[in-house]
C-alpha cells in the first residue's frame, strides 16, 4: 500500500484513473444501450432506463409538461397516459412540439428508438397506462382484410376518409393521412386517442378487430392504381377538378389551334 | 316586322344570289398564305397532312399489335401517371391518337390548302311566301267547316273534357313513388319511431358485441346499434331500421357535461346520441374527444355533445337527439326509453 500511496500523485496514475473511469462509464452506457426497447417496455424495465428517460424528459419535455409531468396551461398532464402515448407522439415526430398550433404536426423524429423507449419507460413509471403493443399484438398477417374494411368504414373512415387519406375536422384541425402509419402507431393511436381522436378500447374493438383494421390500412398503403393518377384517391372532387382544368384546357387549346388562321 | 318586310323587298328588288348561295366578300382584304404563293410550301403542307393520316393508320396497326402482344396483367411505369396497366394504356393511346390525327390532318388540310377566301352566305327569308300562308289559312278554315267543329257544340265540349281528364291519372300515380306505411304516418312520426325501446341492449356496430360501461374509457367513442337490429332487418328486408337506429356512445368526464336532454340520461359520463345529422341525414361520427364536438362532413354542421347536442355551427337547425341509457341486470348498457325526438333529417319541419 505504501508503494501505491507513494506514487498516487504521479501524472501517469491520473491518466490511468481517467482511462478506467472512461471505460467504466462507456461500458456501462453501452450495456444500458443494448437493452432492446421491447424488453425495456416489459415489466423488467430497468431503473437506469427510467433514469435516462427522466433526464431526457427534464431536458426536452418539462418546459411545457412541467417538472412533475402534471401538465400546465400549455400542455396536458402525462400522468397515466402510458408508454403507448409517448411512443406514438415521439415516434411520429409530433412531440417535442415544434411550435404551438391547432394540433401537433408529424415530422422527422427527434429522439431515436432508445431515447423514445427511455422516455416511454419514465412516463409509464409515473402511473399505469396503456403499454406499447408487443410484436404479437400488431401481427396482422392472418387478419381478415375484408372484415377490416367493414370495421374501418364503421369506426375510422368518418375522419380518416374511406381510403385512409385523412380529412378536415373543425377549426383547422384535421385527421392525418394513414399512408405512412406503422401497425404499432395505429394500435397506439386507437388505445390512447391522441389529440382530437377518440379512444377505441380493446373491449369495444377487440384485438382481432384492430388487426383486421391494420390489415386493411396495410392493403390501402400498398394498393396500386391500375387507372393511373390516383388524384389523392379522393374520388369525384379531384377527378372533376382534373377534368375541368386539365382535360377542358387541352380541348380549348385544340379549339384555339383550329381557329388560328394559317400563315 | 319591318326587318322582314325590308328583307323581302330586298330579295325581290335584287338578283337572287348565285346558286351556290355564297359570294366573295369584297371589303375583307384577302392575304394569301405561304402555301398559296410558294408551291414548295404547298407540297410541304400536303406531305404534312398525308403523314398525319399515315401515322393514324400506323397507330391502328399498333393497336392490334398491342391487343395481341401485351399481357393483360403487365404493368408499366409512366412518369406522373405512376404504375398503370400496360395494355390499357397502349390501347387507349393508339386509338385516341389515331382518331386525333385524322381530325388534326383534316384541320391542317383545311387551314393550309383549301381555299380561305372569306365569303358571305345569304340566308333565305324565314317567313313563308304570302301565297303559301293564305293557302294554309284557307285549308284550316275549310277543315273547320267540313268537320263541323264549330257546329257540333256537344262534340267539341266532350272532346275537350276527355282531353283534360286523360292526363290526370298519370299525375295521381306520382304519389305512389312514396309508399305510405299502414296508418299513414307523417315523416316526423316515421323518424320518431326507431328500434330503440326500454331494455334494448346497445351493441357495437358491425360486430354486435354487448357493451359494459367500463368498456368505454373517458375519451372513448363507439358506433353502436340495437341488439335486435339483424332480426328486424331480416324480417322487414330493408335498411330503414339500421339508418334510423344508428347511435354513437361517447364518454367524457361527468364534470364536463354542461347539460343533457333529460335528467340522468347518461351512465357516469357515457352519453348516447343519434348518429344521423339533423340537417339532411348524413351519418356522422367525427367526434373530437377534446372539444366534445361532432362534425358532419356533408355541410359542416357541428354539435356539442357535452351540451345537449346543441348546434354550434352549420346549417342544422335542430339539436342531435339523445338516447337515455342505463345498465341491465347483467351489467350491459341498454336503452331506457325510445328517442324522445325524431331522428334524422328535418325536411318535414321546414316544408
Amino acid at each position: 500500500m505504501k508503494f501505491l500511496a507513494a506514487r498516487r500523485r504521479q501524472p501517469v496514475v491520473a491518466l490511468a484513473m481517467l482511462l478506467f473511469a472512461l471505460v467504466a462509464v462507456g461500458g456501462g452506457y453501452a450495456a444500458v444501450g443494448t437493452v432492446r426497447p421491447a424488453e425495456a417496455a416489459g415489466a423488467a424495465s430497468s431503473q437506469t432506463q427510467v433514469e435516462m428517460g427522466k433526464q431526457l424528459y427534464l431536458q426536452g419535455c418539462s418546459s411545457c409538461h412541467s417538472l412533475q409531468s402534471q401538465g400546465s396551461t400549455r400542455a396536458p398532464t402525462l400522468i397515466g397516459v402510458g408508454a403507448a402515448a409517448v411512443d406514438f407522439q415521439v415516434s411520429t415526430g409530433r412531440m417535442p412540439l415544434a411550435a404551438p398550433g391547432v394540433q401537433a404536426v408529424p415530422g422527422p423524429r427527434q429522439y431515436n428508438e432508445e431515447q423514445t423507449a427511455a422516455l416511454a419507460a419514465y412516463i409509464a413509471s409515473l402511473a399505469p397506462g396503456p403499454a406499447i403493443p408487443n410484436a404479437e399484438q400488431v401481427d396482422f398477417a392472418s387478419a381478415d382484410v375484408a372484415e377490416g374494411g367493414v370495421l374501418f368504414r364503421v369506426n375510422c373512415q368518418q375522419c380518416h376518409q374511406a381510403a385512409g387519406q385523412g380529412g378536415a375536422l373543425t377549426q383547422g384541425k384535421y385527421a392525418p393521412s394513414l399512408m405512412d402509419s406503422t401497425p404499432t402507431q395505429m394500435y397506439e393511436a386507437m388505445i390512447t386517442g391522441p389529440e382530437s381522436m377518440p379512444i377505441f378500447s380493446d373491449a369495444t374493438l377487440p384485438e382481432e378487430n384492430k388487426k383486421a383494421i391494420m390489415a386493411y390500412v396495410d392493403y390501402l398503403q400498398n394498393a396500386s392504381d391500375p387507372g393511373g393518377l390516383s388524384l389523392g384517391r379522393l374520388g369525384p372532387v379531384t377527378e372533376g377538378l382534373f377534368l375541368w382544368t386539365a382535360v377542358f384546357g387541352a380541348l380549348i387549346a385544340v379549339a384555339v389551334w383550329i381557329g388560328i388562321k394559317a400563315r | 316586322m319591318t326587318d322582314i318586310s325590308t328583307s323581302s323587298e330586298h330579295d325581290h328588288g335584287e338578283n337572287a344570289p348565285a346558286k351556290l348561295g355564297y359570294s366573295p366578300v369584297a371589303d375583307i382584304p384577302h392575304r394569301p398564305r405561304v402555301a398559296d404563293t410558294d408551291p414548295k410550301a404547298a407540297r410541304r403542307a400536303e406531305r404534312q397532312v398525308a403523314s398525319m393520316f399515315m401515322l393514324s393508320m400506323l397507330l391502328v396497326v399498333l393497336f392490334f399489335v398491342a391487343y395481341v402482344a401485351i399481357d393483360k396483367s403487365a404493368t408499366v411505369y409512366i412518369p406522373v401517371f405512376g404504375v398503370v396497366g400496360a395494355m390499357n394504356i397502349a390501347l387507349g393511346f393508339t386509338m385516341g391518337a389515331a382518331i386525333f390525327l385524322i381530325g388534326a390532318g383534316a384541320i391542317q388540310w383545311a387551314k393550309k390548302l383549301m381555299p380561305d377566301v372569306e365569303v358571305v352566305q345569304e340566308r333565305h327569308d324565314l317567313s313563308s311566301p304570302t301565297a303559301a300562308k293564305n293557302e294554309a289559312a284557307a285549308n284550316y278554315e275549310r277543315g273547320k267547316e267540313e268537320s263541323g267543329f264549330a257546329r257540333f257544340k256537344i262534340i267539341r265540349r266532350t272532346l275537350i273534357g276527355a282531353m283534360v281528364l286523360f292526363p290526370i291519372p298519370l299525375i295521381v300515380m306520382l304519389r305512389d313513388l312514396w309508399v305510405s306505411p299502414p296508418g299513414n304516418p307523417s315523416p316526423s312520426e316515421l323518424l320518431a319511431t326507431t328500434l330503440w325501446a326500454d331494455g334494448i341492449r346497445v351493441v357495437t356496430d358491425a360486430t354486435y358485441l354487448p357493451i359494459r360501461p367500463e368498456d368505454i374509457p373517458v375519451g372513448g367513442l363507439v358506433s353502436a346499434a340495437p341488439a335486435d337490429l339483424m332480426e328486424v332487418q331480416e324480417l322487414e328486408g330493408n335498411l330503414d331500421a339500421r339508418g334510423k337506429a344508428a347511435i354513437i356512445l361517447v364518454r367524457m368526464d361527468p364534470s364536463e357535461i354542461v347539460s343533457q336532454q333529460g335528467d340522468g340520461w347518461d351512465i357516469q359520463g357515457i352519453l348516447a346520441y343519434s348518429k344521423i345529422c339533423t340537417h339532411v341525414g348524413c351519418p356522422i361520427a367525427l367526434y373530437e374527444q377534446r372539444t366534445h364536438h361532432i362534425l358532419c362532413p356533408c355541410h359542416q354542421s357541428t354539435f356539442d355533445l357535452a351540451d345537449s347536442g346543441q348546434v354550434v355551427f352549420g346549417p342544422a337547425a335542430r339539436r342531435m337527439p339523445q338516447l337515455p341509457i342505463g345498465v341491465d341486470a347483467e351489467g350491459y348498457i341498454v336503452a331506457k326509453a325510445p328517442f324522445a325526438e325524431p331522428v334524422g333529417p328535418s325536411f318535414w319541419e321546414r316544408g
Side-chain angles (χ1 to χ4, degrees):
Chain A
M1 285 316 262
K2 222 170 188 172
F3 171 79
L4 282 177
R7 283 160 179 78
R8 66 170 192 221
R9 291 192 195 283
Q10 284 200 356
V12 68
V13 173
L15 211 65
M17 291 298 282
L18 188 66
L19 196 69
F20 172 76
L22 281 172
V23 169
V25 171
Y29 189 81
V32 172
T34 49
V35 173
R36 297 197 52 79
E39 295 166 40
S45 162
S46 75
Q47 199 56 43
T48 15
Q49 194 186 24
V50 172
E51 262 321 296
M52 178 187 167
K54 184 169 186 180
Q55 286 309 314
L56 289 168
Y57 175 86
L58 291 174
Q59 287 160 15
C61 320
S62 62
S63 57
C64 296
H65 291 286
S66 84
L67 292 170
Q68 264 77 47
S69 313
Q70 77 271 39
S72 69
T73 49
R74 280 180 303 235
T77 175
L78 298 182
I79 296 168
V81 299
V86 178
D87 188 57
F88 176 84
Q89 298 286 352
V90 177
S91 76
T92 57
R94 286 181 166 82
M95 291 289 150
L97 200 59
V102 284
Q103 74 183 53
V105 181
R109 58 190 295 171
Q110 305 292 315
Y111 292 98
N112 63 27
E113 272 183 40
E114 185 199 343
Q115 291 167 325
T116 310
L119 278 170
Y122 169 64
I123 296 298
S125 75
L126 299 175
I132 298 171
N134 60 35
E136 196 278 318
Q137 284 174 298
V138 295
D139 176 24
F140 56 82
S142 57
D144 184 346
V145 177
E147 190 202 345
V150 171
L151 291 164
F152 189 88
R153 286 186 287 277
V154 168
N155 293 297
C156 319
Q157 67 102 37
Q158 65 260 27
C159 299
H160 291 288
Q161 195 252 4
Q165 301 290 326
L169 296 172
T170 65
Q171 313 272 327
K173 296 189 283 289
Y174 64 93
S177 160
L178 302 178
M179 289 301 103
D180 298 322
S181 301
T182 66
T184 305
Q185 288 166 353
M186 282 182 245
Y187 198 112
E188 287 166 349
M190 284 189 269
I191 56 172
T192 62
E195 305 202 57
S196 295
M197 179 167 166
I199 298 167
F200 297 88
S201 71
D202 281 348
T204 55
L205 195 66
E207 214 166 279
E208 309 87 77
N209 292 351
K210 287 192 169 73
K211 284 183 186 174
I213 288 173
M214 287 172 212
Y216 180 68
V217 174
D218 179 70
Y219 158 78
L220 290 177
Q221 287 173 344
N222 296 305
S224 64
D225 299 296
L229 283 174
S230 70
L231 298 171
R233 293 192 192 154
L234 292 179
V237 174
T238 47
E239 283 162 20
L241 186 70
F242 179 76
L243 194 77
W244 281 94
T245 51
V247 177
F248 279 22
L251 289 179
I252 289 168
V254 170
V256 167
W257 172 68
I258 291 174
I260 292 173
K261 236 167 128 65
R263 279 186 297 116
Chain B
M1 266 317 197
T2 42
D3 254 352
I4 290 168
S5 64
T6 43
S7 80
S8 74
E9 267 175 29
H10 183 78
D11 223 33
H12 284 292
E14 214 177 11
N15 280 340
K19 254 282 183 266
L20 273 172
Y22 44 57
S23 52
V25 176
D27 54 349
I28 301 178
H30 177 62
R31 183 173 53 79
R33 297 162 298 186
V34 186
D36 291 335
T37 51
D38 182 3
K40 258 188 176 165
R43 286 284 299 159
R44 202 163 53 235
E46 194 184 339
R47 277 199 304 274
Q48 246 175 24
V49 174
S51 56
M52 282 191 200
F53 291 154
M54 281 192 25
L55 200 55
S56 171
M57 286 190 267
L58 179 71
L59 282 165
V60 172
V61 173
L62 282 177
F63 172 88
F64 285 110
V65 171
Y67 186 70
V68 175
I70 299 179
D71 184 62
K72 264 203 310 243
S73 53
T75 56
V76 62
Y77 176 79
I78 294 177
V80 182
F81 276 76
V83 177
V84 293
M87 188 198 246
N88 206 23
I89 203 92
L91 298 188
F93 174 76
T94 51
M95 257 187 101
I99 195 162
F100 180 82
L101 283 169
I102 293 176
I107 298 287
Q108 190 74 343
W109 182 10
K111 283 171 67 165
K112 294 246 164 148
L113 296 171
M114 289 185 192
D116 73 333
V117 184
E118 283 80 4
V119 293
V120 150
Q121 181 176 13
E122 294 287 349
R123 283 210 182 127
H124 296 291
D125 201 348
L126 280 177
S127 77
S128 305
T130 322
K133 282 195 235 173
N134 290 343
E135 194 189 331
N139 277 345
Y140 173 75
E141 285 302 326
R142 204 175 74 224
K144 203 167 95 178
E145 191 56 43
E146 283 177 0
S147 66
F149 193 73
R151 214 153 14 104
F152 303 123
K153 262 189 190 162
I154 185 87
I155 291 179
R156 193 175 73 219
R157 285 173 187 168
T158 48
L159 175 63
I160 291 171
M163 301 272 281
V164 167
L165 278 185
F166 182 73
I168 292 176
L170 304 178
I171 297 166
V172 169
M173 276 194 287
L174 288 178
R175 75 180 280 283
D176 286 337
L177 286 177
W178 182 69
V179 183
S180 171
N184 205 21
S186 70
S188 66
E189 285 169 309
L190 281 174
L191 290 169
T193 330
T194 67
L195 289 182
W196 293 110
D198 187 17
I200 299 278
R201 257 194 201 160
V202 178
V203 295
T204 56
D205 198 357
T207 44
Y208 306 104
L209 301 171
I211 308 161
R212 293 173 190 275
E214 59 268 30
D215 292 344
I216 308 175
V218 170
L221 165 72
V222 180
S223 284
D228 57 348
L229 177 64
M230 290 311 275
E231 299 151 42
V232 173
Q233 213 164 282
E234 211 143 288
L235 277 179
E236 293 186 354
N238 65 44
L239 290 172
D240 288 358
R242 173 181 289 269
K244 288 193 293 181
I247 60 164
I248 53 168
L249 297 176
V250 299
R251 186 167 200 163
M252 53 190 84
D253 196 305
S255 65
E256 289 183 293
I257 298 174
V258 179
S259 72
Q260 293 188 64
Q261 293 178 14
D263 273 344
W265 280 15
D266 70 320
I267 314 167
Q268 299 143 31
I270 300 177
L271 301 163
Y273 279 96
S274 168
K275 196 181 182 178
I276 312 300
C277 184
T278 59
H279 176 220
V280 287
C282 294
I284 53 175
L286 284 83
Y287 175 62
E288 299 177 356
Q289 59 126 327
R290 288 208 179 155
T291 55
H292 311 308
H293 288 174
I294 187 157
L295 166 72
C296 180
C298 294
H299 305 97
Q300 281 69 52
S301 293
T302 310
F303 304 86
D304 187 355
L305 299 193
D307 187 13
S308 304
Q310 297 292 355
V311 183
V312 291
F313 183 79
R318 194 163 64 88
R319 65 185 185 178
M320 194 57 98
Q322 188 184 354
L323 183 73
I325 49 171
V327 177
D328 68 5
E330 289 168 68
Y332 290 111
I333 300 177
V334 293
K336 279 200 301 194
F339 275 112
E341 295 167 16
V343 297
S346 309
F347 61 92
W348 46 271
E349 200 180 49
R350 298 185 169 186

